[in-house]
Amino acid sequence: KKSPQEKKQLYSNRGMTLEEDINETNRYYLEQQIAVIHKKPTPVQIVNVNYPKRSAAVIKEAYFKQASTTDYNGVYKGMYIDFEAKETKNKTSFPLQNFHNHQVKHMKDVISQNGVCFVLLRFTSLDEIYYLDAKNLLYFWDRQLNGGRKSIKKEEIDECGHKITLGYQPRIDYINIIDKLYF
Amino acid sequence: KKSPQEKKQLYSNRGMTLEEDINETNRYYLEQQIAVIHKKPTPVQIVNVNYPKRSAAVIKEAYFKQASTTDYNGVYKGMYIDFEAKETKNKTSFPLQNFHNHQVKHMKDVISQNGVCFVLLRFTSLDEIYYLDAKNLLYFWDRQLNGGRKSIKKEEIDECGHKITLGYQPRIDYINIIDKLYF
Ligand SMILES: [Mg+2]
Ligand SMILES: [Mg+2]
């Protein structure tokens, strides 16, 4: 049995990126048959490929493309789930420049189709993670477009969002929030 | 107004791949706010990237990875939609080798979560397209695993599947089948 000290180390998360934590979470959900959520591959524009005789094709020239959707999607109890994950080192606000036009447009599309759409926001310096519904994000996005502030205040996220306590398995239990909000 | 001759040419589809037709279909669904379905990017293992000073990062070495899921997914009226598309030049049967273990496993996962899961099969020589529910595909897949035939007979697809007539807009109206089956 692990001592509280060891346990604390297990639960603490220094060095893990938000993406790694989410991938771990999704792996857990998949294994436990809780939900089927995958990260989409990084979109790449392939320009030049070599096909050597007795080995695998080698991509010799390619470029990163901007994603036209969010990074994660999948299914939970028949419902379409879609989200994006972002981190900031800031402590008092979350910069909106972290999001791209394409992603915001995609979130609107998903909302129109009654999908479950949200963002996971991590304040790395505070070690805090929030679930924020995409509708709330769109509100702050539009505020910016109308000349308002270019970030979401931490207090606003505290008010509209749902704090997720980092766990061991699953690490970032966002399905728990979906359960509370939709079931 | 177009003559029947011209119309026939518009509707006929020589030279378009199944993927192109599906992408066009999805673009139409998105513009018309009918559904939000995207093709996932091709998964690539990136090994070496150059970061030139004043221009975009160049991927200098990368390899194609096997996909861990199907190629298309998204949302229609809140429901999770997931499918794979395959073509064959055969006229009397559809070879099961077109599908990979990973994809079949993923289809099972999606079915467990009550997602809408299917395959689009095109017989290129016959210019025929079928919607086949993933549960039916799994039946034929398991038959193969139990020593049965390595393909699905055309008559079996005719019986279990739903033929989709190629249209102009949308080209491959699979949402119409989903409407009939689920609404
Ligand atoms: Mg991202
Ligand atoms: Mg494929």
Side-chain angles (χ1 to χ4, degrees):
Chain A
K1 204 173 146 78
K2 296 206 164 52
S3 71
Q5 204 57 28
E6 285 176 289
K7 233 176 180 171
K8 193 160 177 242
Q9 282 204 315
L10 267 177
Y11 281 67
S12 104
N13 208 48
R14 304 290 165 202
M16 291 297 266
T17 65
L18 180 55
E19 183 178 321
E20 287 168 328
D21 280 330
I22 293 171
N23 290 346
E24 263 308 300
T25 302
N26 290 342
R27 199 171 300 140
Y28 175 83
Y29 287 154
L30 188 63
E31 280 171 11
Q32 302 295 314
Q33 302 197 32
I34 294 167
V36 181
I37 318 277
H38 289 275
K39 183 177 191 296
K40 293 188 187 174
T42 306
V44 155
Q45 178 73 49
I46 297 165
V47 173
N48 187 12
V49 185
N50 262 21
Y51 297 93
K53 271 189 184 155
R54 260 166 261 274
S55 55
V58 190
I59 298 164
K60 300 297 282 181
E61 185 186 356
Y63 299 88
F64 294 102
K65 278 198 296 186
Q66 192 157 59
S68 54
T69 66
T70 49
D71 278 350
Y72 302 88
N73 76 356
V75 55
Y76 173 58
K77 296 183 180 171
M79 289 193 308
Y80 177 75
I81 309 294
D82 190 299
F83 66 96
E84 182 59 44
K86 301 285 188 192
E87 341 188 43
T88 184
K89 287 175 186 167
N90 288 14
K91 293 181 181 179
T92 56
S93 70
F94 205 97
L96 286 162
Q97 68 187 14
N98 276 302
F99 298 93
H100 311 295
N101 269 314
H102 280 111
Q103 294 176 327
V104 172
K105 198 260 181 198
H106 175 70
M107 291 179 200
K108 286 180 187 169
D109 291 337
V110 169
I111 291 169
S112 301
Q113 279 299 322
N114 288 315
V116 174
C117 194
F118 58 93
V119 291
L120 293 178
L121 306 177
R122 174 180 270 168
F123 290 90
T124 48
S125 320
L126 306 171
D127 223 339
E128 287 183 1
I129 299 167
Y130 288 86
Y131 174 116
L132 185 69
D133 195 286
K135 282 172 194 155
N136 291 119
L137 179 72
L138 292 177
Y139 168 82
F140 297 119
W141 184 264
D142 289 342
R143 182 175 69 180
Q144 173 194 32
L145 292 184
N146 294 321
R149 45 182 301 141
K150 291 176 171 36
S151 65
I152 315 172
K153 280 192 210 169
K154 178 71 161 50
E155 300 96 80
E156 292 173 325
I157 295 172
D158 262 313
E159 202 184 306
C160 308
H162 305 268
K163 199 169 174 172
I164 301 182
T165 314
L166 199 67
Y168 177 49
Q169 272 193 328
R171 289 200 195 157
I172 300 174
D173 193 3
Y174 61 85
I175 289 286
N176 178 45
I177 310 287
I178 294 174
D179 268 334
K180 284 179 186 160
L181 296 177
Y182 294 88
F183 290 95
Chain B
K1 204 171 148 76
K2 297 206 164 53
S3 72
Q5 204 56 28
E6 284 176 290
K7 234 177 180 170
K8 196 164 177 239
Q9 282 206 313
L10 265 178
Y11 281 65
S12 103
N13 208 47
R14 305 287 166 207
M16 291 297 265
T17 65
L18 180 54
E19 182 178 322
E20 287 168 326
D21 279 330
I22 293 171
N23 290 346
E24 263 308 301
T25 302
N26 291 342
R27 199 170 302 141
Y28 176 82
Y29 287 152
L30 188 64
E31 280 170 11
Q32 301 295 314
Q33 301 197 33
I34 293 167
V36 181
I37 318 277
H38 288 275
K39 183 175 191 296
K40 292 186 187 177
T42 306
V44 155
Q45 179 72 48
I46 297 165
V47 173
N48 187 11
V49 185
N50 262 20
Y51 297 93
K53 271 188 184 156
R54 261 166 260 273
S55 56
V58 190
I59 299 164
K60 301 297 280 182
E61 185 186 356
Y63 299 88
F64 294 102
K65 278 198 296 186
Q66 193 158 58
S68 55
T69 66
T70 49
D71 277 351
Y72 301 89
N73 75 357
V75 56
Y76 173 59
K77 294 183 181 171
M79 289 193 308
Y80 177 75
I81 309 296
D82 190 299
F83 65 97
E84 182 60 42
K86 302 283 189 195
E87 341 187 43
T88 185
K89 287 175 188 168
N90 289 13
K91 292 181 181 178
T92 56
S93 69
F94 204 97
L96 286 162
Q97 68 187 15
N98 276 300
F99 298 94
H100 311 293
N101 269 315
H102 279 110
Q103 292 176 327
V104 173
K105 198 260 179 198
H106 174 71
M107 289 178 199
K108 286 180 186 167
D109 290 337
V110 169
I111 291 169
S112 301
Q113 280 300 321
N114 289 315
V116 174
C117 194
F118 58 94
V119 291
L120 293 178
L121 306 178
R122 173 180 271 169
F123 289 91
T124 49
S125 320
L126 306 171
D127 223 339
E128 289 183 1
I129 300 167
Y130 288 86
Y131 174 115
L132 185 70
D133 194 286
K135 281 171 194 157
N136 292 118
L137 179 73
L138 292 176
Y139 168 83
F140 298 118
W141 184 264
D142 288 343
R143 183 175 70 181
Q144 172 194 33
L145 292 183
N146 294 323
R149 45 182 300 137
K150 291 176 171 35
S151 65
I152 315 172
K153 280 192 211 167
K154 177 72 161 50
E155 301 96 80
E156 292 173 325
I157 295 173
D158 261 315
E159 201 183 308
C160 309
H162 306 268
K163 199 168 172 173
I164 301 182
T165 314
L166 199 66
Y168 177 51
Q169 272 192 329
R171 291 200 194 158
I172 301 174
D173 194 3
Y174 60 86
I175 290 286
N176 178 45
I177 311 288
I178 294 175
D179 268 333
K180 284 178 184 158
L181 296 176
Y182 295 88
F183 289 95

PDB file of all heavy atoms in Angstrom, chain A residues 139-161:
ATOM      1  N   TYR A 139     -19.347  33.273 -25.940  1.00  0.00           N
ATOM      2  CA  TYR A 139     -19.727  34.565 -25.367  1.00  0.00           C
ATOM      3  C   TYR A 139     -18.499  35.466 -25.201  1.00  0.00           C
ATOM      4  O   TYR A 139     -18.499  36.635 -25.611  1.00  0.00           O
ATOM      5  CB  TYR A 139     -20.431  34.367 -24.012  1.00  0.00           C
ATOM      6  CG  TYR A 139     -20.595  35.642 -23.240  1.00  0.00           C
ATOM      7  CD1 TYR A 139     -21.649  36.520 -23.495  1.00  0.00           C
ATOM      8  CD2 TYR A 139     -19.656  36.003 -22.266  1.00  0.00           C
ATOM      9  CE1 TYR A 139     -21.775  37.719 -22.803  1.00  0.00           C
ATOM     10  CE2 TYR A 139     -19.774  37.200 -21.569  1.00  0.00           C
ATOM     11  CZ  TYR A 139     -20.839  38.047 -21.840  1.00  0.00           C
ATOM     12  OH  TYR A 139     -20.945  39.227 -21.162  1.00  0.00           O
ATOM     13  N   PHE A 140     -17.430  34.900 -24.630  1.00  0.00           N
ATOM     14  CA  PHE A 140     -16.218  35.702 -24.407  1.00  0.00           C
ATOM     15  C   PHE A 140     -15.526  36.033 -25.733  1.00  0.00           C
ATOM     16  O   PHE A 140     -14.939  37.097 -25.898  1.00  0.00           O
ATOM     17  CB  PHE A 140     -15.260  34.962 -23.462  1.00  0.00           C
ATOM     18  CG  PHE A 140     -15.841  34.739 -22.096  1.00  0.00           C
ATOM     19  CD1 PHE A 140     -16.027  33.461 -21.583  1.00  0.00           C
ATOM     20  CD2 PHE A 140     -16.226  35.832 -21.310  1.00  0.00           C
ATOM     21  CE1 PHE A 140     -16.583  33.258 -20.324  1.00  0.00           C
ATOM     22  CE2 PHE A 140     -16.784  35.645 -20.040  1.00  0.00           C
ATOM     23  CZ  PHE A 140     -16.960  34.357 -19.555  1.00  0.00           C
ATOM     24  N   TRP A 141     -15.615  35.116 -26.674  1.00  0.00           N
ATOM     25  CA  TRP A 141     -15.042  35.327 -28.016  1.00  0.00           C
ATOM     26  C   TRP A 141     -15.736  36.510 -28.695  1.00  0.00           C
ATOM     27  O   TRP A 141     -15.077  37.404 -29.241  1.00  0.00           O
ATOM     28  CB  TRP A 141     -15.222  34.045 -28.832  1.00  0.00           C
ATOM     29  CG  TRP A 141     -14.595  34.103 -30.200  1.00  0.00           C
ATOM     30  CD1 TRP A 141     -15.219  34.413 -31.370  1.00  0.00           C
ATOM     31  CD2 TRP A 141     -13.230  33.829 -30.531  1.00  0.00           C
ATOM     32  NE1 TRP A 141     -14.342  34.347 -32.410  1.00  0.00           N
ATOM     33  CE2 TRP A 141     -13.109  33.996 -31.926  1.00  0.00           C
ATOM     34  CE3 TRP A 141     -12.104  33.463 -29.785  1.00  0.00           C
ATOM     35  CZ2 TRP A 141     -11.887  33.804 -32.590  1.00  0.00           C
ATOM     36  CZ3 TRP A 141     -10.902  33.272 -30.449  1.00  0.00           C
ATOM     37  CH2 TRP A 141     -10.788  33.444 -31.832  1.00  0.00           C
ATOM     38  N   ASP A 142     -17.055  36.523 -28.630  1.00  0.00           N
ATOM     39  CA  ASP A 142     -17.813  37.604 -29.250  1.00  0.00           C
ATOM     40  C   ASP A 142     -17.577  38.938 -28.539  1.00  0.00           C
ATOM     41  O   ASP A 142     -17.531  39.985 -29.176  1.00  0.00           O
ATOM     42  CB  ASP A 142     -19.322  37.270 -29.248  1.00  0.00           C
ATOM     43  CG  ASP A 142     -19.649  36.155 -30.245  1.00  0.00           C
ATOM     44  OD1 ASP A 142     -18.812  35.901 -31.134  1.00  0.00           O
ATOM     45  OD2 ASP A 142     -20.731  35.547 -30.124  1.00  0.00           O
ATOM     46  N   ARG A 143     -17.426  38.866 -27.246  1.00  0.00           N
ATOM     47  CA  ARG A 143     -17.108  40.086 -26.489  1.00  0.00           C
ATOM     48  C   ARG A 143     -15.816  40.697 -27.030  1.00  0.00           C
ATOM     49  O   ARG A 143     -15.716  41.908 -27.239  1.00  0.00           O
ATOM     50  CB  ARG A 143     -16.965  39.747 -24.999  1.00  0.00           C
ATOM     51  CG  ARG A 143     -16.692  40.967 -24.125  1.00  0.00           C
ATOM     52  CD  ARG A 143     -16.683  40.614 -22.647  1.00  0.00           C
ATOM     53  NE  ARG A 143     -15.533  39.784 -22.275  1.00  0.00           N
ATOM     54  CZ  ARG A 143     -15.300  39.347 -21.042  1.00  0.00           C
ATOM     55  NH1 ARG A 143     -16.150  39.640 -20.058  1.00  0.00           N
ATOM     56  NH2 ARG A 143     -14.235  38.605 -20.778  1.00  0.00           N
ATOM     57  N   GLN A 144     -14.811  39.859 -27.283  1.00  0.00           N
ATOM     58  CA  GLN A 144     -13.543  40.323 -27.852  1.00  0.00           C
ATOM     59  C   GLN A 144     -13.766  40.951 -29.230  1.00  0.00           C
ATOM     60  O   GLN A 144     -13.258  42.034 -29.522  1.00  0.00           O
ATOM     61  CB  GLN A 144     -12.578  39.135 -27.961  1.00  0.00           C
ATOM     62  CG  GLN A 144     -11.277  39.461 -28.687  1.00  0.00           C
ATOM     63  CD  GLN A 144     -10.525  38.186 -29.078  1.00  0.00           C
ATOM     64  OE1 GLN A 144     -11.130  37.143 -29.356  1.00  0.00           O
ATOM     65  NE2 GLN A 144      -9.211  38.267 -29.101  1.00  0.00           N
ATOM     66  N   LEU A 145     -14.545  40.251 -30.065  1.00  0.00           N
ATOM     67  CA  LEU A 145     -14.807  40.765 -31.422  1.00  0.00           C
ATOM     68  C   LEU A 145     -15.489  42.127 -31.366  1.00  0.00           C
ATOM     69  O   LEU A 145     -15.300  42.971 -32.244  1.00  0.00           O
ATOM     70  CB  LEU A 145     -15.692  39.780 -32.206  1.00  0.00           C
ATOM     71  CG  LEU A 145     -15.070  38.437 -32.569  1.00  0.00           C
ATOM     72  CD1 LEU A 145     -16.036  37.622 -33.420  1.00  0.00           C
ATOM     73  CD2 LEU A 145     -13.739  38.609 -33.297  1.00  0.00           C
ATOM     74  N   ASN A 146     -16.281  42.350 -30.316  1.00  0.00           N
ATOM     75  CA  ASN A 146     -16.964  43.633 -30.162  1.00  0.00           C
ATOM     76  C   ASN A 146     -16.123  44.664 -29.410  1.00  0.00           C
ATOM     77  O   ASN A 146     -16.662  45.613 -28.845  1.00  0.00           O
ATOM     78  CB  ASN A 146     -18.307  43.415 -29.453  1.00  0.00           C
ATOM     79  CG  ASN A 146     -19.259  42.593 -30.311  1.00  0.00           C
ATOM     80  OD1 ASN A 146     -19.310  42.763 -31.525  1.00  0.00           O
ATOM     81  ND2 ASN A 146     -20.003  41.693 -29.678  1.00  0.00           N
ATOM     82  N   GLY A 147     -14.814  44.434 -29.394  1.00  0.00           N
ATOM     83  CA  GLY A 147     -13.921  45.421 -28.789  1.00  0.00           C
ATOM     84  C   GLY A 147     -13.619  45.184 -27.325  1.00  0.00           C
ATOM     85  O   GLY A 147     -12.933  45.997 -26.684  1.00  0.00           O
ATOM     86  N   GLY A 148     -14.105  44.093 -26.782  1.00  0.00           N
ATOM     87  CA  GLY A 148     -13.861  43.792 -25.373  1.00  0.00           C
ATOM     88  C   GLY A 148     -12.487  43.193 -25.121  1.00  0.00           C
ATOM     89  O   GLY A 148     -11.665  43.096 -26.030  1.00  0.00           O
ATOM     90  N   ARG A 149     -12.244  42.725 -23.892  1.00  0.00           N
ATOM     91  CA  ARG A 149     -10.927  42.217 -23.510  1.00  0.00           C
ATOM     92  C   ARG A 149     -10.559  40.954 -24.293  1.00  0.00           C
ATOM     93  O   ARG A 149     -11.415  40.178 -24.703  1.00  0.00           O
ATOM     94  CB  ARG A 149     -10.837  41.989 -22.007  1.00  0.00           C
ATOM     95  CG  ARG A 149     -12.038  41.270 -21.380  1.00  0.00           C
ATOM     96  CD  ARG A 149     -11.843  41.154 -19.882  1.00  0.00           C
ATOM     97  NE  ARG A 149     -10.619  40.401 -19.613  1.00  0.00           N
ATOM     98  CZ  ARG A 149      -9.763  40.687 -18.637  1.00  0.00           C
ATOM     99  NH1 ARG A 149      -9.988  41.702 -17.830  1.00  0.00           N
ATOM    100  NH2 ARG A 149      -8.681  39.959 -18.459  1.00  0.00           N
ATOM    101  N   LYS A 150      -9.248  40.786 -24.486  1.00  0.00           N
ATOM    102  CA  LYS A 150      -8.728  39.698 -25.309  1.00  0.00           C
ATOM    103  C   LYS A 150      -8.486  38.422 -24.502  1.00  0.00           C
ATOM    104  O   LYS A 150      -7.771  37.515 -24.951  1.00  0.00           O
ATOM    105  CB  LYS A 150      -7.420  40.133 -25.982  1.00  0.00           C
ATOM    106  CG  LYS A 150      -7.610  41.210 -27.052  1.00  0.00           C
ATOM    107  CD  LYS A 150      -6.272  41.660 -27.600  1.00  0.00           C
ATOM    108  CE  LYS A 150      -6.427  42.566 -28.806  1.00  0.00           C
ATOM    109  NZ  LYS A 150      -7.567  43.489 -28.790  1.00  0.00           N
ATOM    110  N   SER A 151      -9.049  38.356 -23.324  1.00  0.00           N
ATOM    111  CA  SER A 151      -8.871  37.172 -22.489  1.00  0.00           C
ATOM    112  C   SER A 151     -10.105  36.979 -21.623  1.00  0.00           C
ATOM    113  O   SER A 151     -10.945  37.876 -21.506  1.00  0.00           O
ATOM    114  CB  SER A 151      -7.634  37.332 -21.609  1.00  0.00           C
ATOM    115  OG  SER A 151      -7.838  38.390 -20.690  1.00  0.00           O
ATOM    116  N   ILE A 152     -10.180  35.794 -21.020  1.00  0.00           N
ATOM    117  CA  ILE A 152     -11.263  35.519 -20.070  1.00  0.00           C
ATOM    118  C   ILE A 152     -10.671  35.651 -18.674  1.00  0.00           C
ATOM    119  O   ILE A 152      -9.629  35.046 -18.379  1.00  0.00           O
ATOM    120  CB  ILE A 152     -11.819  34.093 -20.238  1.00  0.00           C
ATOM    121  CG1 ILE A 152     -12.034  33.762 -21.720  1.00  0.00           C
ATOM    122  CG2 ILE A 152     -13.097  33.929 -19.444  1.00  0.00           C
ATOM    123  CD1 ILE A 152     -12.389  32.296 -21.960  1.00  0.00           C
ATOM    124  N   LYS A 153     -11.296  36.465 -17.841  1.00  0.00           N
ATOM    125  CA  LYS A 153     -10.814  36.618 -16.456  1.00  0.00           C
ATOM    126  C   LYS A 153     -10.928  35.297 -15.716  1.00  0.00           C
ATOM    127  O   LYS A 153     -11.897  34.567 -15.882  1.00  0.00           O
ATOM    128  CB  LYS A 153     -11.665  37.642 -15.705  1.00  0.00           C
ATOM    129  CG  LYS A 153     -11.322  39.082 -15.981  1.00  0.00           C
ATOM    130  CD  LYS A 153     -12.041  39.954 -14.949  1.00  0.00           C
ATOM    131  CE  LYS A 153     -12.372  41.316 -15.515  1.00  0.00           C
ATOM    132  NZ  LYS A 153     -13.273  42.083 -14.651  1.00  0.00           N
ATOM    133  N   LYS A 154      -9.965  35.025 -14.878  1.00  0.00           N
ATOM    134  CA  LYS A 154     -10.001  33.830 -14.038  1.00  0.00           C
ATOM    135  C   LYS A 154     -11.314  33.744 -13.253  1.00  0.00           C
ATOM    136  O   LYS A 154     -11.915  32.659 -13.143  1.00  0.00           O
ATOM    137  CB  LYS A 154      -8.793  33.832 -13.099  1.00  0.00           C
ATOM    138  CG  LYS A 154      -8.718  32.672 -12.119  1.00  0.00           C
ATOM    139  CD  LYS A 154      -8.395  31.371 -12.798  1.00  0.00           C
ATOM    140  CE  LYS A 154      -7.865  30.330 -11.820  1.00  0.00           C
ATOM    141  NZ  LYS A 154      -8.634  30.110 -10.607  1.00  0.00           N
ATOM    142  N   GLU A 155     -11.773  34.868 -12.743  1.00  0.00           N
ATOM    143  CA  GLU A 155     -13.028  34.853 -11.952  1.00  0.00           C
ATOM    144  C   GLU A 155     -14.217  34.446 -12.830  1.00  0.00           C
ATOM    145  O   GLU A 155     -15.146  33.786 -12.360  1.00  0.00           O
ATOM    146  CB  GLU A 155     -13.343  36.237 -11.347  1.00  0.00           C
ATOM    147  CG  GLU A 155     -12.293  36.773 -10.405  1.00  0.00           C
ATOM    148  CD  GLU A 155     -11.338  37.712 -11.123  1.00  0.00           C
ATOM    149  OE1 GLU A 155     -11.684  38.882 -11.336  1.00  0.00           O
ATOM    150  OE2 GLU A 155     -10.231  37.254 -11.508  1.00  0.00           O
ATOM    151  N   GLU A 156     -14.180  34.864 -14.088  1.00  0.00           N
ATOM    152  CA  GLU A 156     -15.260  34.493 -15.005  1.00  0.00           C
ATOM    153  C   GLU A 156     -15.271  32.979 -15.241  1.00  0.00           C
ATOM    154  O   GLU A 156     -16.335  32.351 -15.311  1.00  0.00           O
ATOM    155  CB  GLU A 156     -15.110  35.243 -16.330  1.00  0.00           C
ATOM    156  CG  GLU A 156     -15.353  36.746 -16.180  1.00  0.00           C
ATOM    157  CD  GLU A 156     -15.036  37.545 -17.438  1.00  0.00           C
ATOM    158  OE1 GLU A 156     -14.070  37.189 -18.173  1.00  0.00           O
ATOM    159  OE2 GLU A 156     -15.732  38.550 -17.682  1.00  0.00           O
ATOM    160  N   ILE A 157     -14.078  32.420 -15.384  1.00  0.00           N
ATOM    161  CA  ILE A 157     -13.986  30.969 -15.581  1.00  0.00           C
ATOM    162  C   ILE A 157     -14.449  30.239 -14.324  1.00  0.00           C
ATOM    163  O   ILE A 157     -15.149  29.226 -14.388  1.00  0.00           O
ATOM    164  CB  ILE A 157     -12.546  30.569 -15.979  1.00  0.00           C
ATOM    165  CG1 ILE A 157     -12.209  31.176 -17.345  1.00  0.00           C
ATOM    166  CG2 ILE A 157     -12.385  29.050 -16.008  1.00  0.00           C
ATOM    167  CD1 ILE A 157     -10.771  31.032 -17.770  1.00  0.00           C
ATOM    168  N   ASP A 158     -14.062  30.797 -13.163  1.00  0.00           N
ATOM    169  CA  ASP A 158     -14.522  30.217 -11.895  1.00  0.00           C
ATOM    170  C   ASP A 158     -16.045  30.197 -11.821  1.00  0.00           C
ATOM    171  O   ASP A 158     -16.643  29.247 -11.305  1.00  0.00           O
ATOM    172  CB  ASP A 158     -13.975  31.045 -10.713  1.00  0.00           C
ATOM    173  CG  ASP A 158     -12.732  30.402 -10.120  1.00  0.00           C
ATOM    174  OD1 ASP A 158     -12.760  29.183  -9.895  1.00  0.00           O
ATOM    175  OD2 ASP A 158     -11.741  31.114  -9.896  1.00  0.00           O
ATOM    176  N   GLU A 159     -16.647  31.255 -12.368  1.00  0.00           N
ATOM    177  CA  GLU A 159     -18.101  31.371 -12.263  1.00  0.00           C
ATOM    178  C   GLU A 159     -18.837  30.491 -13.285  1.00  0.00           C
ATOM    179  O   GLU A 159     -19.787  29.792 -12.939  1.00  0.00           O
ATOM    180  CB  GLU A 159     -18.495  32.840 -12.462  1.00  0.00           C
ATOM    181  CG  GLU A 159     -19.852  33.183 -11.874  1.00  0.00           C
ATOM    182  CD  GLU A 159     -20.233  34.624 -12.176  1.00  0.00           C
ATOM    183  OE1 GLU A 159     -19.433  35.537 -11.867  1.00  0.00           O
ATOM    184  OE2 GLU A 159     -21.338  34.823 -12.740  1.00  0.00           O
ATOM    185  N   CYS A 160     -18.387  30.541 -14.554  1.00  0.00           N
ATOM    186  CA  CYS A 160     -19.100  29.808 -15.626  1.00  0.00           C
ATOM    187  C   CYS A 160     -18.617  28.369 -15.756  1.00  0.00           C
ATOM    188  O   CYS A 160     -19.359  27.512 -16.249  1.00  0.00           O
ATOM    189  CB  CYS A 160     -18.858  30.449 -16.982  1.00  0.00           C
ATOM    190  SG  CYS A 160     -19.185  32.176 -17.042  1.00  0.00           S
ATOM    191  N   GLY A 161     -17.346  28.117 -15.408  1.00  0.00           N
ATOM    192  CA  GLY A 161     -16.749  26.812 -15.679  1.00  0.00           C
ATOM    193  C   GLY A 161     -16.920  25.837 -14.532  1.00  0.00           C
ATOM    194  O   GLY A 161     -17.561  26.137 -13.521  1.00  0.00           O
TER     195      GLY A 161
END
